[in-house]
Amino acid sequence: MKLIGSYTSPFVRKISVLLLEKGIPFDFINEMPYNAENGVAQYNPLGKVPALLTDDGECWYDSPIIAQYIELLNVAPAMVPVEPKAALKMRQLESLADGIMDAGLVAVRELARPVAQQSQDEQLRQREKISRSLDMLEHYIADGTLKADEVNLATIAVACAIGYLNFRRIAPGWCATRPHLVKLVETLFQRESFARTEPPKA
Ligand SMILES: N[C@@H](CCC(=O)N[C@@H](CS)C(=O)NCC(=O)O)C(=O)O
């Protein structure tokens, strides 16, 4: 199995962590989707990473679909509950975490534009999405919907999203008012799967 990705993508990190936690062997094919010359489109016509190429030649994208595919392999530990509604809730939490990654990515891309072309309004819009979503996740931990001390699809996705915010220094004060999320990331970041997938220092 081959994972096509880049070392800085939080979506790719989510999939790498899932594979590492389950002990599923994979080769990492490093592709930079934002480089002019890249081979991503041969795996995903959208030109985005991650994509997962199976030994049977099937190619899966995007990351929530890859996560579902990995779960279908039935390799312990399970990362999603069996009960359908609980599974759907967990995937919604994944979706919320993915949305934080999306907003973070837009904010980073915006900042990479020449200063004169950068939009303050767009920056603010994305930061508000991130802030609201972090508040919602904090609330979900407080009410027990999201279990901060468990290793599952939701907690992994949340830790990858916050890892990306830290890496790109977006929303640097996020931890000041969200103690439950701090505990979640502290727990997850101690795991070998997270240590092995830390984004490279710039
Ligand atoms: N919804 C997608 C998002 C993936 C995504 O946006 N990946 C970024 C890297 S972090 C990418 O490949 N961007 C290239 C582009 O937009 O052209 C997923 O969950 O896999």
Side-chain angles (χ1 to χ4, degrees), residues 75-100:
V75 177
M79 292 294 173
V80 178
V82 176
E83 199 275 312
K85 186 92 180 279
L88 191 61
K89 189 72 216 175
M90 184 157 296
R91 294 197 194 289
Q92 187 181 34
L93 293 170
E94 176 196 19
S95 184
L96 193 51
D98 285 359
I100 293 173

mmCIF file of all heavy atoms in Angstrom, residues 75-100:
data_model
loop_
_atom_site.group_PDB
_atom_site.id
_atom_site.type_symbol
_atom_site.label_atom_id
_atom_site.label_comp_id
_atom_site.label_asym_id
_atom_site.label_seq_id
_atom_site.Cartn_x
_atom_site.Cartn_y
_atom_site.Cartn_z
ATOM 1 N N VAL A 75 -8.599 -4.038 10.832
ATOM 2 C CA VAL A 75 -7.370 -4.216 11.602
ATOM 3 C C VAL A 75 -7.536 -3.472 12.930
ATOM 4 O O VAL A 75 -7.875 -2.286 12.935
ATOM 5 C CB VAL A 75 -6.149 -3.667 10.830
ATOM 6 C CG1 VAL A 75 -4.889 -3.786 11.671
ATOM 7 C CG2 VAL A 75 -5.989 -4.375 9.498
ATOM 8 N N ALA A 76 -7.324 -4.196 14.044
ATOM 9 C CA ALA A 76 -7.446 -3.571 15.369
ATOM 10 C C ALA A 76 -6.273 -2.616 15.597
ATOM 11 O O ALA A 76 -5.199 -2.817 15.024
ATOM 12 C CB ALA A 76 -7.456 -4.655 16.445
ATOM 13 N N PRO A 77 -6.495 -1.592 16.427
ATOM 14 C CA PRO A 77 -7.723 -1.239 17.130
ATOM 15 C C PRO A 77 -8.705 -0.493 16.228
ATOM 16 O O PRO A 77 -8.286 0.249 15.338
ATOM 17 C CB PRO A 77 -7.218 -0.318 18.242
ATOM 18 C CG PRO A 77 -6.008 0.348 17.668
ATOM 19 C CD PRO A 77 -5.362 -0.675 16.776
ATOM 20 N N ALA A 78 -10.001 -0.722 16.489
ATOM 21 C CA ALA A 78 -11.023 0.009 15.742
ATOM 22 C C ALA A 78 -10.913 1.492 16.076
ATOM 23 O O ALA A 78 -10.678 1.864 17.226
ATOM 24 C CB ALA A 78 -12.402 -0.510 16.114
ATOM 25 N N MET A 79 -11.067 2.317 15.071
ATOM 26 C CA MET A 79 -10.961 3.772 15.285
ATOM 27 C C MET A 79 -12.316 4.460 15.205
ATOM 28 O O MET A 79 -12.420 5.667 15.432
ATOM 29 C CB MET A 79 -10.025 4.384 14.234
ATOM 30 C CG MET A 79 -8.587 3.973 14.404
ATOM 31 S SD MET A 79 -7.922 4.652 15.946
ATOM 32 C CE MET A 79 -6.317 3.851 15.980
ATOM 33 N N VAL A 80 -13.350 3.686 14.840
ATOM 34 C CA VAL A 80 -14.709 4.217 14.697
ATOM 35 C C VAL A 80 -15.644 3.212 15.364
ATOM 36 O O VAL A 80 -15.463 2.003 15.196
ATOM 37 C CB VAL A 80 -15.065 4.368 13.187
ATOM 38 C CG1 VAL A 80 -16.482 4.861 13.005
ATOM 39 C CG2 VAL A 80 -14.078 5.297 12.489
ATOM 40 N N PRO A 81 -16.644 3.705 16.133
ATOM 41 C CA PRO A 81 -17.558 2.754 16.776
ATOM 42 C C PRO A 81 -18.375 1.973 15.751
ATOM 43 O O PRO A 81 -18.563 2.435 14.625
ATOM 44 C CB PRO A 81 -18.468 3.652 17.621
ATOM 45 C CG PRO A 81 -18.059 5.040 17.398
ATOM 46 C CD PRO A 81 -16.954 5.097 16.418
ATOM 47 N N VAL A 82 -18.873 0.817 16.162
ATOM 48 C CA VAL A 82 -19.667 -0.024 15.250
ATOM 49 C C VAL A 82 -21.085 0.542 15.108
ATOM 50 O O VAL A 82 -21.655 0.533 14.014
ATOM 51 C CB VAL A 82 -19.724 -1.478 15.795
ATOM 52 C CG1 VAL A 82 -20.619 -2.349 14.932
ATOM 53 C CG2 VAL A 82 -18.312 -2.051 15.895
ATOM 54 N N GLU A 83 -21.626 1.041 16.186
ATOM 55 C CA GLU A 83 -23.018 1.525 16.168
ATOM 56 C C GLU A 83 -23.130 2.695 15.171
ATOM 57 O O GLU A 83 -22.356 3.669 15.245
ATOM 58 C CB GLU A 83 -23.376 1.967 17.607
ATOM 59 C CG GLU A 83 -24.875 2.050 17.864
ATOM 60 C CD GLU A 83 -25.451 3.388 17.430
ATOM 61 O OE1 GLU A 83 -24.864 4.438 17.780
ATOM 62 O OE2 GLU A 83 -26.477 3.376 16.717
ATOM 63 N N PRO A 84 -24.063 2.588 14.199
ATOM 64 C CA PRO A 84 -24.085 3.537 13.067
ATOM 65 C C PRO A 84 -24.179 5.009 13.472
ATOM 66 O O PRO A 84 -23.474 5.844 12.901
ATOM 67 C CB PRO A 84 -25.309 3.110 12.250
ATOM 68 C CG PRO A 84 -25.523 1.678 12.607
ATOM 69 C CD PRO A 84 -25.076 1.511 14.019
ATOM 70 N N LYS A 85 -25.044 5.328 14.425
ATOM 71 C CA LYS A 85 -25.204 6.753 14.783
ATOM 72 C C LYS A 85 -23.941 7.275 15.478
ATOM 73 O O LYS A 85 -23.505 8.399 15.232
ATOM 74 C CB LYS A 85 -26.431 6.883 15.693
ATOM 75 C CG LYS A 85 -26.832 8.293 16.042
ATOM 76 C CD LYS A 85 -27.857 8.856 15.068
ATOM 77 C CE LYS A 85 -28.245 10.272 15.428
ATOM 78 N NZ LYS A 85 -29.256 10.317 16.495
ATOM 79 N N ALA A 86 -23.363 6.427 16.344
ATOM 80 C CA ALA A 86 -22.124 6.833 17.024
ATOM 81 C C ALA A 86 -20.999 7.002 15.993
ATOM 82 O O ALA A 86 -20.174 7.921 16.096
ATOM 83 C CB ALA A 86 -21.744 5.800 18.083
ATOM 84 N N ALA A 87 -21.011 6.123 14.976
ATOM 85 C CA ALA A 87 -19.993 6.222 13.916
ATOM 86 C C ALA A 87 -20.173 7.518 13.133
ATOM 87 O O ALA A 87 -19.194 8.217 12.809
ATOM 88 C CB ALA A 87 -20.098 5.011 12.981
ATOM 89 N N LEU A 88 -21.433 7.859 12.863
ATOM 90 C CA LEU A 88 -21.712 9.089 12.114
ATOM 91 C C LEU A 88 -21.259 10.316 12.907
ATOM 92 O O LEU A 88 -20.677 11.263 12.363
ATOM 93 C CB LEU A 88 -23.219 9.166 11.816
ATOM 94 C CG LEU A 88 -23.666 10.225 10.822
ATOM 95 C CD1 LEU A 88 -23.040 9.995 9.451
ATOM 96 C CD2 LEU A 88 -25.186 10.238 10.701
ATOM 97 N N LYS A 89 -21.522 10.286 14.215
ATOM 98 C CA LYS A 89 -21.109 11.409 15.071
ATOM 99 C C LYS A 89 -19.587 11.552 15.038
ATOM 100 O O LYS A 89 -19.046 12.657 14.954
ATOM 101 C CB LYS A 89 -21.591 11.179 16.518
ATOM 102 C CG LYS A 89 -21.412 12.366 17.419
ATOM 103 C CD LYS A 89 -22.404 13.465 17.078
ATOM 104 C CE LYS A 89 -21.809 14.835 17.255
ATOM 105 N NZ LYS A 89 -22.689 15.917 16.818
ATOM 106 N N MET A 90 -18.906 10.396 15.103
ATOM 107 C CA MET A 90 -17.441 10.478 15.074
ATOM 108 C C MET A 90 -16.949 11.058 13.752
ATOM 109 O O MET A 90 -16.026 11.865 13.715
ATOM 110 C CB MET A 90 -16.824 9.102 15.318
ATOM 111 C CG MET A 90 -15.324 9.197 15.394
ATOM 112 S SD MET A 90 -14.549 7.876 16.272
ATOM 113 C CE MET A 90 -15.175 8.062 17.907
ATOM 114 N N ARG A 91 -17.613 10.674 12.659
ATOM 115 C CA ARG A 91 -17.193 11.214 11.359
ATOM 116 C C ARG A 91 -17.522 12.710 11.255
ATOM 117 O O ARG A 91 -16.834 13.455 10.558
ATOM 118 C CB ARG A 91 -17.858 10.430 10.222
ATOM 119 C CG ARG A 91 -17.384 8.976 10.168
ATOM 120 C CD ARG A 91 -17.690 8.294 8.860
ATOM 121 N NE ARG A 91 -17.530 6.860 8.956
ATOM 122 C CZ ARG A 91 -16.377 6.216 9.069
ATOM 123 N NH1 ARG A 91 -15.235 6.894 9.084
ATOM 124 N NH2 ARG A 91 -16.335 4.903 9.171
ATOM 125 N N GLN A 92 -18.562 13.129 11.958
ATOM 126 C CA GLN A 92 -18.849 14.574 11.968
ATOM 127 C C GLN A 92 -17.745 15.336 12.714
ATOM 128 O O GLN A 92 -17.340 16.428 12.311
ATOM 129 C CB GLN A 92 -20.207 14.855 12.619
ATOM 130 C CG GLN A 92 -20.603 16.315 12.481
ATOM 131 C CD GLN A 92 -21.930 16.628 13.143
ATOM 132 O OE1 GLN A 92 -22.279 16.049 14.175
ATOM 133 N NE2 GLN A 92 -22.682 17.527 12.551
ATOM 134 N N LEU A 93 -17.259 14.724 13.792
ATOM 135 C CA LEU A 93 -16.147 15.354 14.522
ATOM 136 C C LEU A 93 -14.901 15.400 13.638
ATOM 137 O O LEU A 93 -14.156 16.392 13.629
ATOM 138 C CB LEU A 93 -15.866 14.589 15.821
ATOM 139 C CG LEU A 93 -16.982 14.659 16.873
ATOM 140 C CD1 LEU A 93 -16.718 13.672 18.003
ATOM 141 C CD2 LEU A 93 -17.110 16.067 17.423
ATOM 142 N N GLU A 94 -14.691 14.326 12.889
ATOM 143 C CA GLU A 94 -13.572 14.318 11.927
ATOM 144 C C GLU A 94 -13.756 15.462 10.933
ATOM 145 O O GLU A 94 -12.812 16.196 10.617
ATOM 146 C CB GLU A 94 -13.515 12.971 11.182
ATOM 147 C CG GLU A 94 -12.432 12.924 10.105
ATOM 148 C CD GLU A 94 -12.595 11.775 9.115
ATOM 149 O OE1 GLU A 94 -13.709 11.214 9.010
ATOM 150 O OE2 GLU A 94 -11.599 11.449 8.434
ATOM 151 N N SER A 95 -14.989 15.621 10.473
ATOM 152 C CA SER A 95 -15.294 16.644 9.487
ATOM 153 C C SER A 95 -15.024 18.054 10.045
ATOM 154 O O SER A 95 -14.509 18.938 9.336
ATOM 155 C CB SER A 95 -16.767 16.466 9.111
ATOM 156 O OG SER A 95 -17.133 17.316 8.133
ATOM 157 N N LEU A 96 -15.359 18.235 11.318
ATOM 158 C CA LEU A 96 -15.095 19.521 11.965
ATOM 159 C C LEU A 96 -13.579 19.779 12.039
ATOM 160 O O LEU A 96 -13.096 20.875 11.734
ATOM 161 C CB LEU A 96 -15.716 19.489 13.370
ATOM 162 C CG LEU A 96 -15.858 20.791 14.148
ATOM 163 C CD1 LEU A 96 -16.539 21.875 13.324
ATOM 164 C CD2 LEU A 96 -16.642 20.536 15.442
ATOM 165 N N ALA A 97 -12.850 18.754 12.416
ATOM 166 C CA ALA A 97 -11.387 18.891 12.474
ATOM 167 C C ALA A 97 -10.826 19.159 11.077
ATOM 168 O O ALA A 97 -9.949 20.017 10.898
ATOM 169 C CB ALA A 97 -10.765 17.616 13.075
ATOM 170 N N ASP A 98 -11.352 18.446 10.074
ATOM 171 C CA ASP A 98 -10.893 18.666 8.690
ATOM 172 C C ASP A 98 -11.188 20.100 8.253
ATOM 173 O O ASP A 98 -10.410 20.711 7.516
ATOM 174 C CB ASP A 98 -11.593 17.697 7.731
ATOM 175 C CG ASP A 98 -11.056 16.280 7.829
ATOM 176 O OD1 ASP A 98 -10.131 16.045 8.629
ATOM 177 O OD2 ASP A 98 -11.565 15.406 7.109
ATOM 178 N N GLY A 99 -12.330 20.623 8.705
ATOM 179 C CA GLY A 99 -12.692 22.004 8.359
ATOM 180 C C GLY A 99 -11.703 22.999 8.946
ATOM 181 O O GLY A 99 -11.413 24.027 8.330
ATOM 182 N N ILE A 100 -11.203 22.693 10.140
ATOM 183 C CA ILE A 100 -10.170 23.563 10.737
ATOM 184 C C ILE A 100 -8.906 23.507 9.873
ATOM 185 O O ILE A 100 -8.265 24.524 9.605
ATOM 186 C CB ILE A 100 -9.874 23.127 12.192
ATOM 187 C CG1 ILE A 100 -11.101 23.382 13.065
ATOM 188 C CG2 ILE A 100 -8.641 23.855 12.740
ATOM 189 C CD1 ILE A 100 -10.987 22.850 14.483
#
